[in-house]
Every structure is written in C-alpha cells, then in structure tokens.
Amino acid sequence: MVIKKKNILRIAKYFFSSVTSFILDLILFSFFYNFLKNTFNLEAILVSTIIARIFSSLYNYWLNSKFVFKKNSKYNILKYYLLVLIQMIVSALTVYIINKKFYYIYPSIIKIIIECLLFIINYLIQKKFIFSDNKNK
C-alpha cells in the first residue's frame, strides 16, 4: 500500500486541527468542570462536555472544511454535527461512567484517554462520509 503525499499532508493537517481543537476542548471542559463541580457534582461532567464541545467543534469544523478537506456545504455541516453529537454523547457518558467507578481519577485525565481513542475513528468517518469526494454521499 502506497501512501500518497497528498494523503500524508491531509493527515498532518487533520492532526493539527484535531490537536488544537482537543486542547481548546480540554481547557474549556476543565474550566467549566471546576466552575460547576460543586453545584452539579457528577453531572458537571456532562454539562462541561456539552459546553466545551460546542465551542471546540465550531473551531474544528472551520479548520477541517477550509484547510484539511477543503469542502464546505450545508450538507457537510449537518453530517459533521451529527458526528459531533454522537461523539459528545460517547465521550461524556464514557468519562462519566469511568469517573463514577474510579472517582479518584480526575475527569480531565479520563477525557484525554477517551478522546485519543476517538481520534482515528473520527478521521475515517470525516474522510469517508462527511468531506467525501463522492458526490452521492
């Protein structure tokens, strides 16, 4: 299997987009979690995930549509936000469940591990279904 230079560049751009989006998401998650944890207890994880993901996904979509895949349409953004919604639910519930079982592990650490696992899956989904070259999808 030969990897084309174009694909390597796209993966590098996706990596940059994802890492910077992740950093933004983690900073916002940590900020809101620390702000809400005394009020909402474990539910602060869910609320913080939602708030952080709204902002980081806007940034991520902009980077991916303009610089990584160079495709932007109303249809793409709808598909992208369906993926964001699914990923947000998976991320929040997984962090919540693990934190409930292992309460001594700080939620931001759990979130880092979960998001790393979702990274490759999200790239493949975005490449194949969201920003696809195929007009029929």
Side-chain angles (χ1 to χ4, degrees):
M1 183 172 124
V2 178
I3 299 176
K4 295 179 184 175
K5 184 179 178 182
K6 180 177 130 182
N7 289 336
I8 292 171
L9 185 59
R10 181 185 288 163
I11 291 169
K13 288 178 181 179
Y14 180 78
F15 182 77
F16 173 80
S17 168
S18 295
V19 168
T20 58
S21 297
F22 173 71
I23 291 168
L24 177 61
D25 191 71
L26 187 61
I27 289 168
L28 292 171
F29 171 82
S30 298
F31 171 78
F32 286 110
Y33 177 75
N34 285 321
F35 183 72
L36 299 171
K37 69 182 176 184
N38 294 328
T39 307
F40 291 103
N41 208 359
L42 281 176
E43 289 75 19
I45 291 171
L46 301 174
V47 173
S48 300
T49 298
I50 292 168
I51 295 169
R53 192 56 52 93
I54 288 169
F55 290 103
S56 67
S57 67
L58 288 169
Y59 170 76
N60 185 259
Y61 179 79
W62 179 76
L63 282 178
N64 286 348
S65 66
K66 298 288 183 196
F67 301 108
V68 178
F69 300 104
K70 297 181 181 174
K71 295 186 184 339
N72 188 12
S73 74
K74 290 179 185 178
Y75 190 58
N76 287 354
I77 200 165
L78 292 174
K79 292 187 292 184
Y80 176 82
Y81 272 98
L82 179 60
L83 176 62
V84 167
L85 181 63
I86 292 167
Q87 180 189 0
M88 184 171 50
I89 292 167
V90 169
S91 177
L93 289 177
T94 307
V95 172
Y96 179 82
I97 290 166
I98 292 171
N99 184 252
K100 202 168 180 178
K101 179 107 172 132
F102 302 101
Y103 58 89
Y104 49 87
I105 301 175
Y106 197 72
S108 293
I109 301 301
I110 299 167
K111 183 172 178 58
I112 290 170
I113 296 166
I114 299 304
E115 295 298 329
C116 286
L117 295 172
L118 293 171
F119 169 79
I120 294 174
I121 296 167
N122 285 334
Y123 173 76
L124 294 172
I125 291 170
Q126 287 186 51
K127 182 178 180 241
K128 209 158 189 53
F129 299 109
I130 296 173
F131 298 105
S132 171
D133 288 331
N134 187 345
K135 304 284 184 212
N136 297 329
K137 295 200 179 202

